[in-house]
């Protein structure tokens, strides 16, 4: 299945099934961003909650 990149969402997380690895863009129309911290203070506190583990290599 060919997936189209969303040119507005650049992402280098190749382990995610939504990533178009050849170009490092997300293929979703939108993503959910969240945090696992009570009081986020740095970028490491922020997550893409739309991440889904890729089952096969890209
Ligand atoms: S869902 Fe999130 S982690 Fe996955 S490719 Fe899109 S932006 Fe990257």
């Amino acid at each position: 299945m060919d997936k189209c990149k969303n040119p507005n969402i650049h992402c280098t997380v190749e382990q995610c099934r939504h990533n178009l690895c050849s170009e490092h863009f997300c293929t979703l129309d939108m993503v959910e961003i969240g945090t696992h911290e009570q009081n986020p203070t740095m970028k490491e506190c922020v997550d893409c909650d739309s991440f889904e583990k890729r089952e096969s290599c890209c």
Side-chain angles (χ1 to χ4, degrees):
M1 179 179 71
D2 283 341
K3 294 193 284 187
C4 295
K5 73 178 182 185
N6 182 336
N8 298 310
I9 306 177
H10 184 236
C11 178
T12 59
V13 184
E14 295 186 353
Q15 293 82 1
C16 177
R17 66 186 292 262
H18 301 301
N19 196 277
L20 187 65
C21 299
S22 57
E23 301 190 47
H24 285 158
F25 280 90
C26 185
T27 56
L28 296 177
D29 291 337
M30 61 165 285
V31 294
E32 182 84 17
I33 304 300
T35 181
H36 53 274
E37 302 285 348
Q38 296 242 326
N39 182 26
T41 55
M42 59 183 106
K43 65 181 181 182
E44 285 81 2
C45 302
V46 178
D47 308 303
C48 177
D49 288 335
S50 298
F51 172 88
E52 289 186 67
K53 186 178 181 300
R54 181 185 295 280
E55 296 301 329
S56 58
C57 56
C58 53

